[in-house]
Amino acid sequence: LKKELEEELKLSSEDLSSHAWYHGPLRREAAEALLERNGDFLVRDSSSTPRDYVLTCFWMNMPMHFKIIRVVLRPKKGYSRELFQFEEDRFDNIPALIRLYVGGRRPISQASGAVISHPITRTLPLRVIREQQAVPDSKGVEVSLQIWRMLDAGLHFSRRSLTATYGLVELESCFQLDRFDSLLLPQNNRPLEPSVLLVLKELFNRSNANATALHMLSVDCQVALGTRTHPFVPNISPNSTHQRVAC
């Protein structure tokens, strides 16, 4: 394993795998457990969005997670370029981004003021980390199997007894469609016409998915906060950047 790790760290400095502070698909909880002091940090794969990355750090005596925004530029047909950023400068690769924030002691975001300075280095090759993270929680699997066996056998039990035995267990969704209400939907909301759906599909195919998602998230938040009266009237600067919630 030591030899395999050494070979990874010998890769090009632009390769994310060559940096010991990159921990691959390390889970959020496992990443937090490695942090001890303000300034500690590592980079890991996003658990919710493939090909995206998250900076996990310790600041103000608490763990914080920042999604590294990936911007895809397509200046001409058949060519694309990926850039990475937090709130301001964009870089061609994540190592260059991290070097700027560590060397310049720049805050990851103005709101948090978090500064990274101490990399948490991995001691195992990425292959082993992937294998470890792929192993399911045996206790959780066993609990699920026991519950389903009881359901299949037709046994009746209360939620209280289940909670006392296995912890909090949700047997059915609490979402009620007939009572659903949202500030993001107008009172006369109804399904779109097929022709409109086709236009939207073409629009989404032509646009960068990340940029579209960031724009929609920003508008949704403004509507929810009451700073915008209608979700379909854009007033966002095309050059503005919005931080996504990291997972």
Side-chain angles (χ1 to χ4, degrees):
L1 294 180
K2 181 179 179 181
K3 182 66 174 178
E4 186 176 350
L5 176 60
E6 290 176 350
E7 291 300 320
E8 283 183 350
L9 300 180
K10 289 179 182 178
L11 297 172
S12 168
S13 61
E14 295 184 358
D15 190 323
L16 190 57
S17 301
S18 71
H19 295 272
W21 41 256
Y22 172 58
H23 290 247
L26 192 68
R27 294 196 187 98
R28 181 189 183 108
E29 296 77 10
E32 292 179 352
L34 297 175
L35 307 176
E36 296 181 349
R37 55 179 176 170
N38 289 335
D40 285 357
F41 76 93
L42 60 87
V43 173
R44 58 185 176 84
D45 298 345
S46 170
S47 58
S48 60
T49 312
R51 296 186 61 206
D52 278 352
Y53 303 92
V54 175
L55 170 75
T56 295
C57 66
F58 201 71
W59 189 251
M60 299 295 289
N61 298 317
M62 62 183 294
M64 297 183 179
H65 305 271
F66 298 91
K67 178 85 77 171
I68 298 177
I69 299 174
R70 178 166 55 91
V71 180
V72 180
L73 302 179
R74 294 185 175 88
K76 59 182 179 180
K77 188 175 181 180
Y79 172 79
S80 64
R81 178 186 177 192
E82 286 188 341
L83 298 175
F84 301 90
Q85 70 178 99
F86 286 115
E87 286 188 341
E88 299 177 358
D89 300 322
R90 296 176 177 179
F91 293 85
D92 289 324
N93 53 69
I94 292 177
L97 175 69
I98 297 299
R99 279 196 297 270
L100 172 74
Y101 280 86
V102 173
R105 297 190 64 82
R106 294 173 58 173
I108 303 301
S109 72
Q110 295 300 320
S112 68
V115 174
I116 57 176
S117 54
H118 313 299
I120 301 299
T121 58
R122 68 180 188 271
T123 57
L124 294 172
L126 294 173
R127 174 187 61 82
V128 177
I129 296 177
R130 292 190 185 96
E131 292 173 353
Q132 291 178 344
Q133 299 303 304
V135 176
D137 185 343
S138 59
K139 180 180 178 181
V141 172
E142 182 60 29
V143 168
S144 299
L145 288 174
Q146 290 185 35
I147 292 175
W148 281 112
R149 289 192 191 105
M150 289 188 289
L151 289 171
D152 188 54
L155 299 179
H156 298 281
F157 41 81
S158 66
R159 175 172 173 171
R160 177 177 297 179
S161 64
L162 275 177
T163 303
T165 306
Y166 301 109
L168 182 60
V169 176
E170 292 288 350
L171 294 180
E172 60 182 18
S173 173
C174 61
F175 177 72
Q176 298 180 0
L177 181 61
D178 57 335
R179 298 184 181 180
F180 177 73
D181 186 27
S182 172
L183 294 173
L184 307 179
L185 297 176
Q187 293 294 329
N188 60 344
N189 181 62
R190 63 179 185 274
L192 296 175
E193 297 291 335
S195 58
V196 177
L197 288 175
L198 286 175
V199 173
L200 286 175
K201 181 179 179 180
E202 293 176 358
L203 176 63
F204 289 148
N205 286 336
R206 292 197 305 267
S207 304
N208 174 257
N210 285 342
T212 303
L214 287 173
H215 175 79
M216 294 174 66
L217 175 61
S218 175
V219 174
D220 291 351
C221 290
Q222 291 181 43
V223 172
L225 292 173
T227 57
R228 174 172 293 188
T229 57
H230 199 284
F232 307 110
V233 184
N235 60 4
I236 300 177
S237 168
N239 297 322
S240 61
T241 301
H242 310 285
Q243 190 79 17
R244 283 181 291 176
V245 178
C247 300

